[in-house]
Short mmCIF file of all heavy atoms in Angstrom, two decimals:
data_model
loop_
_atom_site.label_atom_id
_atom_site.label_comp_id
_atom_site.label_asym_id
_atom_site.label_seq_id
_atom_site.Cartn_x
_atom_site.Cartn_y
_atom_site.Cartn_z
N PHE B 1 25.11 -7.08 12.50
CA PHE B 1 24.94 -5.72 13.28
C PHE B 1 24.61 -6.11 14.73
O PHE B 1 25.25 -5.57 15.65
CB PHE B 1 23.81 -5.00 12.68
CG PHE B 1 23.32 -3.86 13.41
CD1 PHE B 1 24.06 -2.72 13.27
CD2 PHE B 1 22.27 -3.94 14.28
CE1 PHE B 1 23.73 -1.52 14.07
CE2 PHE B 1 21.92 -2.73 14.94
CZ PHE B 1 22.64 -1.63 14.88
N ILE B 2 23.79 -7.14 15.05
CA ILE B 2 23.46 -7.59 16.38
C ILE B 2 24.58 -8.08 17.06
O ILE B 2 24.96 -7.81 18.28
CB ILE B 2 22.27 -8.42 16.41
CG1 ILE B 2 21.07 -7.66 15.94
CG2 ILE B 2 22.03 -8.91 17.83
CD1 ILE B 2 19.82 -8.54 15.65
N ALA B 3 25.47 -8.87 16.38
CA ALA B 3 26.71 -9.54 16.95
C ALA B 3 27.60 -8.36 17.35
O ALA B 3 28.23 -8.47 18.39
CB ALA B 3 27.40 -10.37 15.98
N ARG B 4 27.76 -7.37 16.62
CA ARG B 4 28.54 -6.07 16.91
C ARG B 4 28.08 -5.43 18.25
O ARG B 4 28.93 -5.06 18.98
CB ARG B 4 28.67 -5.19 15.74
CG ARG B 4 29.68 -5.68 14.66
CD ARG B 4 29.93 -4.66 13.52
NE ARG B 4 30.43 -5.20 12.44
CZ ARG B 4 29.74 -5.79 11.32
NH1 ARG B 4 28.48 -5.81 11.33
NH2 ARG B 4 30.38 -6.29 10.36
N LYS B 5 26.75 -5.37 18.30
CA LYS B 5 26.23 -4.75 19.51
C LYS B 5 26.56 -5.61 20.75
O LYS B 5 26.86 -5.11 21.80
CB LYS B 5 24.55 -4.52 19.42
CG LYS B 5 24.21 -3.37 18.64
CD LYS B 5 22.74 -3.30 18.57
CE LYS B 5 22.14 -3.01 19.94
NZ LYS B 5 20.71 -2.79 19.90
N VAL B 6 26.42 -6.88 20.56
CA VAL B 6 26.72 -7.84 21.71
C VAL B 6 28.14 -7.71 22.13
O VAL B 6 28.43 -7.54 23.21
CB VAL B 6 26.36 -9.29 21.26
CG1 VAL B 6 26.94 -10.32 22.24
CG2 VAL B 6 24.85 -9.50 21.17
N MET B 7 29.04 -7.74 21.14
CA MET B 7 30.48 -7.60 21.32
C MET B 7 30.86 -6.25 22.06
O MET B 7 31.57 -6.34 22.95
CB MET B 7 31.32 -7.67 20.02
CG MET B 7 31.18 -8.98 19.28
SD MET B 7 31.44 -10.49 20.32
CE MET B 7 33.09 -10.24 20.94
N ALA B 8 30.16 -5.17 21.63
CA ALA B 8 30.46 -3.86 22.32
C ALA B 8 29.93 -3.88 23.78
O ALA B 8 30.59 -3.43 24.71
CB ALA B 8 29.77 -2.78 21.47
N ALA B 9 28.82 -4.60 23.99
CA ALA B 9 28.36 -4.66 25.42
C ALA B 9 29.17 -5.41 26.24
O ALA B 9 29.51 -5.13 27.48
CB ALA B 9 26.87 -5.21 25.38
N LEU B 10 29.77 -6.59 25.76
CA LEU B 10 30.58 -7.49 26.51
C LEU B 10 32.09 -6.95 26.62
O LEU B 10 32.69 -7.30 27.53
CB LEU B 10 30.65 -8.88 25.82
CG LEU B 10 29.33 -9.61 25.74
CD1 LEU B 10 29.50 -10.91 25.01
CD2 LEU B 10 28.70 -9.74 27.12
N ASP B 11 32.43 -5.95 25.84
CA ASP B 11 33.81 -5.48 25.86
C ASP B 11 34.06 -4.45 26.97
O ASP B 11 35.11 -4.16 27.35
CB ASP B 11 34.10 -4.81 24.49
CG ASP B 11 35.63 -4.65 24.23
OD1 ASP B 11 36.34 -5.50 24.69
OD2 ASP B 11 35.99 -3.52 23.72
N ARG B 12 32.91 -3.85 27.45
CA ARG B 12 33.09 -2.93 28.57
C ARG B 12 33.44 -3.68 29.85
O ARG B 12 33.00 -4.79 30.03
CB ARG B 12 31.71 -2.19 28.86
CG ARG B 12 31.27 -1.31 27.73
CD ARG B 12 30.08 -0.47 28.11
NE ARG B 12 29.14 -1.13 28.88
CZ ARG B 12 27.97 -1.74 28.52
NH1 ARG B 12 27.77 -1.70 27.12
NH2 ARG B 12 27.12 -2.26 29.25
N PRO B 13 34.21 -3.12 30.75
CA PRO B 13 34.64 -3.83 31.99
C PRO B 13 33.41 -4.18 32.73
O PRO B 13 32.40 -3.52 32.84
CB PRO B 13 35.54 -2.79 32.71
CG PRO B 13 36.04 -1.86 31.60
CD PRO B 13 34.93 -1.82 30.62
N PHE B 14 33.46 -5.33 33.41
CA PHE B 14 32.38 -5.74 34.35
C PHE B 14 32.68 -5.35 35.71
O PHE B 14 33.89 -5.57 36.21
CB PHE B 14 32.32 -7.30 34.35
CG PHE B 14 31.57 -7.90 33.11
CD1 PHE B 14 31.79 -7.47 31.84
CD2 PHE B 14 30.67 -8.90 33.38
CE1 PHE B 14 31.28 -8.06 30.83
CE2 PHE B 14 29.96 -9.44 32.29
CZ PHE B 14 30.33 -9.04 30.98
N MET B 15 31.84 -4.60 36.45
CA MET B 15 32.08 -4.26 37.84
C MET B 15 31.23 -5.32 38.69
O MET B 15 29.98 -5.22 38.62
CB MET B 15 31.58 -2.80 38.10
CG MET B 15 31.97 -2.46 39.49
SD MET B 15 33.80 -2.47 39.77
CE MET B 15 34.18 -0.82 39.93
N VAL B 16 31.94 -6.24 39.23
CA VAL B 16 31.17 -7.34 40.03
C VAL B 16 31.75 -7.42 41.34
O VAL B 16 33.02 -7.63 41.56
CB VAL B 16 31.32 -8.66 39.21
CG1 VAL B 16 30.65 -9.83 39.98
CG2 VAL B 16 30.90 -8.53 37.75
N GLU B 17 30.83 -7.33 42.29
CA GLU B 17 31.23 -7.49 43.72
C GLU B 17 32.46 -6.51 44.04
O GLU B 17 33.33 -7.00 44.74
CB GLU B 17 31.52 -8.94 44.16
CG GLU B 17 30.22 -9.77 43.98
CD GLU B 17 30.46 -11.25 44.41
OE1 GLU B 17 31.50 -11.54 45.03
OE2 GLU B 17 29.53 -11.93 44.16
N GLY B 18 32.39 -5.30 43.54
CA GLY B 18 33.50 -4.41 43.89
C GLY B 18 34.71 -4.47 43.16
O GLY B 18 35.66 -3.78 43.36
N ARG B 19 34.80 -5.42 42.21
CA ARG B 19 35.98 -5.68 41.41
C ARG B 19 35.68 -5.37 39.84
O ARG B 19 34.60 -5.68 39.42
CB ARG B 19 36.37 -7.16 41.39
CG ARG B 19 36.97 -7.53 42.77
CD ARG B 19 37.30 -9.10 42.63
NE ARG B 19 37.81 -9.59 43.89
CZ ARG B 19 39.10 -9.66 44.20
NH1 ARG B 19 40.04 -9.21 43.38
NH2 ARG B 19 39.50 -10.10 45.42
N GLU B 20 36.61 -4.79 39.27
CA GLU B 20 36.51 -4.60 37.81
C GLU B 20 37.20 -5.70 37.11
O GLU B 20 38.38 -5.99 37.32
CB GLU B 20 37.25 -3.23 37.49
CG GLU B 20 36.97 -2.83 35.99
CD GLU B 20 37.51 -1.53 35.65
OE1 GLU B 20 37.08 -0.55 36.33
OE2 GLU B 20 38.41 -1.43 34.81
N LEU B 21 36.46 -6.35 36.19
CA LEU B 21 36.93 -7.51 35.54
C LEU B 21 36.83 -7.32 34.05
O LEU B 21 35.84 -6.73 33.54
CB LEU B 21 36.16 -8.79 35.84
CG LEU B 21 36.17 -9.20 37.25
CD1 LEU B 21 35.13 -10.37 37.48
CD2 LEU B 21 37.48 -9.68 37.78
N GLU B 22 37.81 -7.63 33.25
CA GLU B 22 37.78 -7.75 31.83
C GLU B 22 37.29 -9.17 31.48
O GLU B 22 37.98 -10.17 31.73
CB GLU B 22 39.17 -7.47 31.20
CG GLU B 22 39.76 -6.14 31.44
CD GLU B 22 39.00 -5.14 30.80
OE1 GLU B 22 38.44 -5.27 29.65
OE2 GLU B 22 38.88 -3.91 31.40
N VAL B 23 36.11 -9.27 30.89
CA VAL B 23 35.47 -10.57 30.79
C VAL B 23 35.39 -10.96 29.25
O VAL B 23 36.20 -11.71 28.83
CB VAL B 23 33.99 -10.61 31.42
CG1 VAL B 23 33.37 -11.96 31.15
CG2 VAL B 23 34.16 -10.35 32.86
N GLY B 24 34.55 -10.25 28.49
CA GLY B 24 34.46 -10.54 27.14
C GLY B 24 33.81 -11.88 26.77
O GLY B 24 33.53 -12.78 27.67
N GLY B 25 33.48 -12.02 25.49
CA GLY B 25 32.74 -13.24 25.05
C GLY B 25 33.07 -13.57 23.53
O GLY B 25 33.58 -12.61 22.94
N SER B 26 32.84 -14.69 23.24
CA SER B 26 32.99 -15.06 21.74
C SER B 26 31.65 -15.47 21.27
O SER B 26 30.79 -16.04 21.95
CB SER B 26 33.93 -16.24 21.60
OG SER B 26 35.27 -15.97 22.05
N VAL B 27 31.36 -15.20 19.95
CA VAL B 27 30.00 -15.31 19.40
C VAL B 27 30.10 -16.08 18.11
O VAL B 27 30.90 -15.71 17.21
CB VAL B 27 29.36 -14.01 19.13
CG1 VAL B 27 27.90 -14.16 18.60
CG2 VAL B 27 29.26 -13.19 20.46
N GLY B 28 29.29 -17.09 18.02
CA GLY B 28 29.05 -17.85 16.74
C GLY B 28 27.68 -17.50 16.23
O GLY B 28 26.71 -17.61 16.90
N VAL B 29 27.56 -17.24 14.94
CA VAL B 29 26.27 -16.87 14.30
C VAL B 29 25.97 -17.77 13.13
O VAL B 29 26.88 -17.95 12.36
CB VAL B 29 26.31 -15.41 13.81
CG1 VAL B 29 24.96 -15.05 13.14
CG2 VAL B 29 26.57 -14.42 14.93
N ALA B 30 24.84 -18.31 13.17
CA ALA B 30 24.32 -19.13 11.98
C ALA B 30 23.12 -18.38 11.38
O ALA B 30 22.25 -17.93 12.14
CB ALA B 30 23.97 -20.48 12.46
N PHE B 31 23.04 -18.16 10.16
CA PHE B 31 22.05 -17.39 9.45
C PHE B 31 21.57 -18.14 8.20
O PHE B 31 22.43 -18.60 7.41
CB PHE B 31 22.51 -16.05 9.05
CG PHE B 31 21.49 -15.31 8.35
CD1 PHE B 31 20.49 -14.68 8.98
CD2 PHE B 31 21.58 -14.87 6.99
CE1 PHE B 31 19.53 -13.92 8.39
CE2 PHE B 31 20.66 -14.20 6.34
CZ PHE B 31 19.57 -13.67 7.02
N ASP B 32 20.24 -18.37 8.15
CA ASP B 32 19.71 -18.99 6.93
C ASP B 32 18.83 -18.24 6.18
O ASP B 32 18.35 -18.62 5.10
CB ASP B 32 19.07 -20.39 7.34
CG ASP B 32 17.72 -20.18 7.88
OD1 ASP B 32 17.23 -19.05 8.20
OD2 ASP B 32 17.02 -21.24 8.09
N GLY B 33 18.54 -16.96 6.49
CA GLY B 33 17.74 -15.99 5.62
C GLY B 33 16.31 -16.40 5.57
O GLY B 33 15.63 -16.16 4.54
N GLY B 34 15.78 -17.13 6.60
CA GLY B 34 14.35 -17.58 6.46
C GLY B 34 14.17 -18.69 5.70
O GLY B 34 13.00 -19.23 5.30
N CYS B 35 15.15 -19.46 5.42
CA CYS B 35 15.08 -20.69 4.50
C CYS B 35 14.45 -21.83 5.22
O CYS B 35 13.29 -21.67 5.73
CB CYS B 35 16.48 -21.03 4.08
SG CYS B 35 16.53 -22.40 3.07
N CYS B 36 15.10 -22.88 5.42
CA CYS B 36 14.33 -24.08 5.90
C CYS B 36 15.27 -24.84 6.92
O CYS B 36 15.08 -26.08 7.10
CB CYS B 36 13.95 -24.94 4.80
SG CYS B 36 15.30 -25.27 3.66
N SER B 37 16.19 -24.17 7.58
CA SER B 37 17.18 -24.93 8.54
C SER B 37 16.40 -25.33 9.82
O SER B 37 15.50 -24.61 10.27
CB SER B 37 18.26 -23.96 8.91
OG SER B 37 19.12 -23.74 7.89
N LEU B 38 16.63 -26.55 10.28
CA LEU B 38 16.09 -26.95 11.43
C LEU B 38 16.83 -26.30 12.60
O LEU B 38 18.01 -26.13 12.50
CB LEU B 38 16.22 -28.51 11.55
CG LEU B 38 15.34 -29.24 10.48
CD1 LEU B 38 15.70 -30.75 10.53
CD2 LEU B 38 13.93 -29.04 10.61
N PRO B 39 16.15 -26.23 13.77
CA PRO B 39 16.87 -25.59 15.01
C PRO B 39 18.10 -26.34 15.33
O PRO B 39 19.16 -25.62 15.63
CB PRO B 39 15.84 -25.74 16.06
CG PRO B 39 14.54 -25.58 15.32
CD PRO B 39 14.76 -26.48 14.05
N ASP B 40 18.20 -27.58 15.30
CA ASP B 40 19.45 -28.33 15.65
C ASP B 40 20.51 -27.99 14.60
O ASP B 40 21.70 -27.87 15.09
CB ASP B 40 19.20 -29.76 15.76
CG ASP B 40 18.39 -30.21 16.94
OD1 ASP B 40 18.25 -29.48 17.93
OD2 ASP B 40 17.94 -31.47 16.96
N ASP B 41 20.25 -27.83 13.46
CA ASP B 41 21.15 -27.56 12.44
C ASP B 41 21.77 -26.17 12.49
O ASP B 41 22.98 -25.93 12.56
CB ASP B 41 20.69 -27.63 11.04
CG ASP B 41 20.23 -29.03 10.62
OD1 ASP B 41 20.82 -30.02 11.13
OD2 ASP B 41 19.36 -29.26 9.77
N LEU B 42 20.91 -25.20 12.92
CA LEU B 42 21.34 -23.75 13.22
C LEU B 42 22.28 -23.73 14.44
O LEU B 42 23.25 -23.11 14.41
CB LEU B 42 20.11 -22.89 13.42
CG LEU B 42 19.40 -22.47 12.18
CD1 LEU B 42 18.11 -21.70 12.46
CD2 LEU B 42 20.23 -21.55 11.26
N LEU B 43 21.87 -24.49 15.50
CA LEU B 43 22.68 -24.49 16.67
C LEU B 43 24.01 -25.08 16.42
O LEU B 43 25.02 -24.63 16.93
CB LEU B 43 21.93 -25.22 17.82
CG LEU B 43 22.53 -25.09 19.16
CD1 LEU B 43 22.70 -23.62 19.62
CD2 LEU B 43 21.69 -25.85 20.21
N SER B 44 24.08 -26.12 15.64
CA SER B 44 25.29 -26.87 15.31
C SER B 44 26.23 -25.90 14.54
O SER B 44 27.44 -25.75 14.75
CB SER B 44 25.13 -28.09 14.57
OG SER B 44 26.27 -28.74 14.22
N ARG B 45 25.62 -25.22 13.59
CA ARG B 45 26.42 -24.24 12.77
C ARG B 45 26.97 -23.03 13.66
O ARG B 45 28.03 -22.60 13.46
CB ARG B 45 25.68 -23.78 11.55
CG ARG B 45 25.63 -24.95 10.54
CD ARG B 45 25.08 -24.45 9.13
NE ARG B 45 23.73 -24.03 9.29
CZ ARG B 45 23.22 -23.06 8.82
NH1 ARG B 45 23.86 -22.22 8.02
NH2 ARG B 45 21.90 -22.70 8.93
N ALA B 46 26.00 -22.52 14.47
CA ALA B 46 26.39 -21.47 15.38
C ALA B 46 27.60 -21.96 16.33
O ALA B 46 28.58 -21.14 16.64
CB ALA B 46 25.23 -21.00 16.21
N ASP B 47 27.53 -23.22 16.80
CA ASP B 47 28.57 -23.68 17.65
C ASP B 47 29.92 -23.78 16.83
O ASP B 47 30.96 -23.42 17.33
CB ASP B 47 28.20 -25.10 18.14
CG ASP B 47 29.13 -25.66 19.16
OD1 ASP B 47 29.55 -24.88 20.00
OD2 ASP B 47 29.48 -26.91 19.06
#
């Protein structure tokens, strides 16, 4: 749900220094449901 919100926010044109730019982003999500993943493991999976 949060990733969809992020994608919607990034999908709108960027108005930067008087120029309209189509920017966009790509998102990787790692989720462990409160289990026991270490931060480095989560970051690696998100990457």
